[in-house]
Amino acid sequence: MGGISVGGGGHGNRKSVDAEVSLMPTIDLLLCCIMFLLVTAVWSRLGQLEVDQHAAAGGTADAPAVERIVVYLQIQASGFTLGSTAGEHVEIPSGSGGYDLETLHARLAERQRAAPDSDDLVVAPDDGVAYEHVIAAVDTAVTAGFSGVTLSDQPPR
């Protein structure tokens, strides 16, 4: 309980002006307001758009946007699947000796020569693929010229 004291005791016929004010309802109201603001803070991000305003020097606003092609390598027990968001799809089956890293290197180097400015690769191994095979595939991709290798737990769509 909070109290307010104004002046001393009663002088003459006057009564004391002391009063007690309960602060608990005020604190409860403030806590409810804080909780409401915390819950609704998430909703304010739903209406935002993320806009990238990078434009080429001398370009116009009406210039068509260049779609970035993502190259992906899926590692499966049956072999490699090399593809991209441009629609390319190449199967490299594994042989009796294991994964065919030489063919993978040749295909990745060929893809890198076709688009030298695209050096990003998403590697998506399936469950059950040994870690050493993933490392060997990533190493092959780096030696083929892909410097931006990213591991993903799901194959690209």
Side-chain angles (χ1 to χ4, degrees):
M1 295 288 280
I4 298 175
S5 176
V6 180
H11 294 286
N13 289 336
R14 295 189 209 163
K15 293 185 177 179
S16 175
V17 190
D18 290 342
E20 289 189 16
V21 177
S22 176
L23 295 178
M24 292 305 288
T26 307
I27 293 172
D28 289 342
L29 178 66
L30 289 175
L31 286 176
C32 288
C33 289
I34 290 172
M35 295 305 293
F36 177 76
L37 290 174
L38 287 175
V39 169
T40 58
V42 177
W43 295 339
S44 67
R45 301 236 354 130
L46 293 177
Q48 293 180 353
L49 293 175
E50 292 188 24
V51 178
D52 189 12
Q53 296 183 355
H54 295 288
T60 63
D62 296 334
V66 177
E67 184 177 331
R68 186 171 175 90
I69 297 174
V70 178
V71 180
Y72 64 89
L73 172 65
Q74 188 172 2
I75 306 172
Q76 303 161 331
S78 61
F80 299 115
T81 301
L82 183 63
S84 71
T85 55
E88 299 169 292
H89 186 79
V90 177
E91 296 283 337
I92 305 172
S94 59
S96 60
Y99 290 101
D100 190 1
L101 294 174
E102 291 82 20
T103 305
L104 176 64
H105 186 274
R107 296 290 183 149
L108 286 172
E110 178 183 313
R111 177 68 175 96
Q112 185 62 24
R113 281 191 300 274
D117 58 335
S118 175
D119 61 350
D120 294 334
L121 177 75
V122 177
V123 177
D126 281 352
D127 289 339
V129 174
Y131 183 69
E132 63 190 43
H133 300 302
V134 176
I135 295 300
V138 169
D139 186 44
T140 302
V142 170
T143 57
F146 288 91
S147 61
V149 178
T150 306
L151 287 176
S152 174
D153 58 348
Q154 297 179 8
R157 296 178 186 177

